[in-house]
Amino acid sequence: RPRRFGKSMMLSTLEEYFKGNHELFRGLAADQLEPPESEGGWKEHIVFHFDFASGVFQNNGINELHDNINNTFSDVVRKHNLELPQIHSLTTKFQNLIDQAAEKSGLPVVILFDEYDQPLNQNLMDYDKLQPLRNEMRAFFSILKTASENIRFAMLTGVTKFSGVTLFSGVNQLFDISMSQQYADICGITQNELEVNFPQELSRLAKAQQLSCTDTLEIVQKKYDGYDFAGGGTKVYNPFSTIRVLAEKEFNNYWFSSGTPSFLIDLIQTKHFDIAPIFDNQISLSKNQLENFATEKPSLIPLLYQTGYLTIKDFDEGEFDLGFPNQEVEYGFVNSLIERLTQSDTLVDSSFDALISNIRKGNINEFVQRLTAIFSKIPYDLDNKTEKHFQTLFWFLLDLIGMQIAVEVHSAYGSADAIISTKKFTYIFELKVKTEGQDGEKLAETALQQIEDQGYAKPFKQNPDEKRKIIKVGLVFDSETRTVSDYKIS
């Protein structure tokens, strides 16, 4: 089950291979996998290619699933002159068509599933719709075992790897390649492949950006490289973004714009997951935790890993350390969340440039005023009024505009809510939330005093090499107005 990028292209390539379209593979390594046509090679297998990637399964999931599958059946029947069974059961119909196809062609069939998990993902937050879909899909996938003697090859790709008990309890012959070192680069571009196969495109990109080839390659690497799917150090570039940047000669966030899974954002918002550890580089999970996702008790981190927002950074003693693979993914993640949490797509505008300028120049009063204006765009019907909610939005906002921010910074003296570092300044923020009846000004003073009492600035003051000016900020959010109400600076 490779990751989201590159899968459709891979399945389409496999489909043409098994259809025997030899001309498409001449001169490639795959050309050596089959004997010549004169010796019985490159025969045409009948391929069942199920495409759930573009399906919409949220309105009436079971019927929509049936329609999608039946459309594939009809397509195969029409192309190969088979007889469409007049049977309601999808599993029985599938078994019948596999048998027909194998008998007609004299060869076992090939079965491909593109985004097998979409019906479940789109209904992840609605258990009443999810459960019957899951049961129907489990029965349907069981045919992969019962009809195995007439199946030459089967492959399923998807964003999410649901636990075996959920979908594949009856299909024990599937080989999971999600974290196999042998297939770690199957859906990506390695550093060597990029430099060997695309030197002219890299040169044209460098010229368009008025950069040296070395600097260009470094930027491409920071933005689009870094995926490690097996923990063995084999890193790959996102092929979708890499091809786009080479074609368009602009360093944009292509993968993010191709579509963020809405179910992922829904899950984060509905379950109120604490995502601070993601930015604090404090995520470690076992292989079993990474590989399985249970619909009954969804866990955020395995889902972020499986959807490509997190990747393996290190492996030690059975634990995988996770983090963002590159700048493009981090930007996409933060931007998607801040838009959803604020229910606004207008936050990213020219005012962000002013925010950056304010904080770099030490204009903290103007910074807070602009921050207040941005938070005022948060709608009043949001349910979450907790301090963690406002902290999360604050962290997202600063990360989104490119500030070097550390969250929940632990030291021998305590834990600061946020620390922002620029060339000239170190800002130490303590955040509070004012509820009805509380005095916001006193809360700001309390926050500022906490920075003093806990000694959050001591590690910087005691560093003889530290030349930056320290600015302490007590920031208070109002749970009713959903924006900054008071602040104190020291």
Side-chain angles (χ1 to χ4, degrees):
R1 186 192 51 82
R3 289 306 180 276
R4 26 187 321 233
F5 50 74
K7 296 191 301 296
S8 295
M9 183 182 295
M10 180 178 63
L11 290 185
S12 297
T13 302
L14 287 170
E15 180 175 3
E16 296 304 321
Y17 175 80
F18 284 111
K19 283 181 176 179
N21 289 333
H22 189 188
E23 288 300 320
L24 298 178
F25 298 90
R26 292 191 188 278
L28 303 178
D31 196 7
Q32 310 303 316
L33 299 178
E34 294 281 341
E37 287 91 335
S38 60
E39 298 178 14
W42 294 98
K43 290 183 177 179
E44 180 181 4
H45 294 73
I46 294 179
V47 178
F48 291 81
H49 191 159
F50 298 93
D51 180 11
F52 292 165
S54 57
V56 179
F57 304 94
Q58 292 166 305
N59 298 322
N60 191 338
I62 291 293
N63 288 339
E64 290 159 353
L65 177 68
H66 286 191
D67 289 345
N68 186 294
I69 293 173
N70 279 319
N71 285 340
T72 300
F73 288 162
S74 297
D75 186 55
V76 172
V77 166
R78 177 180 55 81
K79 287 180 179 178
H80 300 283
N81 197 27
L82 303 179
E83 182 179 345
L84 186 64
Q86 300 305 306
I87 305 170
H88 179 71
S89 168
L90 287 179
T91 53
T92 306
K93 187 181 296 185
F94 196 15
Q95 176 76 67
N96 181 287
L97 285 174
I98 290 173
D99 293 342
Q100 278 194 63
E103 182 178 358
K104 183 175 183 64
S105 66
L107 297 169
V109 304
V110 171
I111 301 172
L112 307 173
F113 285 93
D114 192 359
E115 304 287 11
Y116 82 93
D117 53 338
Q118 276 297 319
L120 299 183
N121 287 336
Q122 292 181 16
N123 293 278
L124 199 57
M125 307 310 299
D126 190 337
Y127 191 75
D128 289 338
K129 290 183 179 179
L130 180 68
Q131 189 173 15
L133 268 172
R134 183 181 58 187
N135 294 338
E136 186 78 0
M137 293 176 69
R138 179 191 293 148
F140 186 69
F141 288 137
S142 69
I143 292 298
L144 298 178
K145 180 176 181 178
T146 57
S148 59
E149 64 179 12
N150 282 328
I151 299 175
R152 160 81 185 272
F153 178 84
M155 189 168 196
L156 298 84
T157 70
V159 172
T160 314
K161 183 191 172 187
F162 291 96
S163 64
V165 175
T166 302
L167 282 182
F168 304 113
S169 57
V171 193
N172 54 16
Q173 79 272 34
L174 289 177
F175 176 37
D176 180 11
I177 66 172
S178 302
M179 298 184 71
S180 170
Q181 189 62 47
Q182 181 180 357
Y183 300 99
D185 60 353
I186 193 172
C187 277
I189 299 173
T190 65
Q191 187 70 36
N192 181 67
E193 288 171 338
L194 178 67
E195 296 183 31
V196 170
N197 295 296
F198 300 98
Q200 294 180 346
E201 289 81 0
L202 286 168
S203 179
R204 285 193 285 266
L205 173 61
K207 184 177 180 180
Q209 294 295 320
Q210 298 182 335
L211 296 170
S212 68
C213 288
T214 300
D215 289 344
T216 299
L217 193 59
E218 182 178 342
I219 295 174
V220 172
Q221 187 174 41
K222 286 180 179 179
K223 286 190 70 71
Y224 311 117
D225 192 20
Y227 292 92
D228 184 344
F229 295 137
T234 301
K235 289 183 170 56
V236 293
Y237 287 78
N238 181 330
F240 178 82
S241 298
T242 305
I243 296 301
R244 287 286 299 276
V245 72
L246 293 178
E248 300 186 16
K249 305 179 185 64
E250 291 288 344
F251 295 117
N252 291 326
N253 297 299
Y254 299 105
W255 183 72
F256 162 62
S257 65
S258 70
T260 300
S262 59
F263 74 89
L264 174 61
I265 309 301
D266 290 339
L267 183 64
I268 293 173
Q269 187 177 19
T270 304
K271 300 297 183 181
H272 305 304
F273 285 111
D274 181 9
I275 59 175
I278 298 173
F279 296 89
D280 210 13
N281 297 316
Q282 294 181 352
I283 302 175
S284 296
L285 293 179
S286 68
K287 183 176 181 180
N288 184 61
Q289 289 173 312
L290 280 182
E291 285 193 310
N292 291 293
F293 179 76
T295 55
E296 296 83 358
K297 296 181 179 179
S299 180
L300 175 64
I301 300 304
L303 191 57
L304 288 175
Y305 166 72
Q306 292 176 16
T307 52
Y309 282 94
L310 297 178
T311 194
I312 298 170
K313 291 293 187 178
D314 197 11
F315 175 73
D316 184 40
E317 297 182 359
E319 291 284 315
F320 292 92
D321 296 335
L322 306 180
F324 292 114
N326 52 50
Q327 292 175 350
E328 180 188 42
V329 172
E330 183 172 1
Y331 174 88
F333 177 75
V334 172
N335 192 72
S336 295
L337 278 175
I338 200 168
E339 285 185 3
R340 178 62 67 86
L341 290 172
T342 61
Q343 298 184 1
S344 171
D345 59 0
T346 61
L347 290 181
V348 184
D349 54 32
S350 59
S351 64
F352 276 26
D353 294 332
L355 265 184
I356 296 171
S357 177
N358 291 157
I359 205 161
R360 285 178 176 169
K361 293 179 179 179
N363 298 332
I364 191 64
N365 288 298
E366 291 184 23
F367 170 79
V368 174
Q369 290 172 11
R370 294 186 185 280
L371 188 71
T372 302
I374 291 175
F375 268 82
S376 68
K377 297 180 181 180
I378 300 175
Y380 283 78
D381 56 351
L382 290 183
D383 295 328
N384 196 339
K385 302 179 182 181
T386 65
E387 183 174 321
K388 179 62 67 178
H389 174 75
F390 287 103
Q391 286 177 339
T392 299
L393 288 176
F394 180 74
W395 297 335
F396 283 171
L397 177 62
L398 273 296
D399 186 83
L400 185 62
I401 65 175
M403 290 291 98
Q404 182 182 342
I405 181 169
V407 300
E408 296 288 0
V409 182
H410 300 278
S411 71
Y413 307 101
S415 176
D417 280 340
I419 294 178
I420 302 172
S421 299
T422 69
K423 289 184 178 180
K424 296 181 180 180
F425 303 97
T426 293
Y427 297 90
I428 302 175
F429 285 88
E430 185 63 30
L431 311 182
K432 301 293 182 183
V433 173
K434 179 174 80 74
T435 57
E436 186 177 0
Q438 287 187 300
D439 188 321
E441 187 174 352
K442 288 185 178 180
L443 270 180
E445 292 174 353
T446 299
L448 204 57
Q449 191 61 48
Q450 182 175 332
I451 296 175
E452 293 293 340
D453 294 344
Q454 297 297 322
Y456 296 155
K458 286 184 179 180
F460 303 98
K461 291 179 177 179
Q462 293 174 354
N463 183 356
D465 298 324
E466 181 61 59
K467 305 298 182 184
R468 289 172 290 194
K469 180 181 178 180
I470 298 174
I471 299 178
K472 306 160 194 172
V473 186
L475 200 62
V476 177
F477 293 95
D478 190 315
S479 62
E480 296 303 316
T481 64
R482 305 288 172 57
T483 189
V484 178
S485 66
D486 301 88
Y487 69 98
K488 294 288 183 178
I489 304 171
S490 172

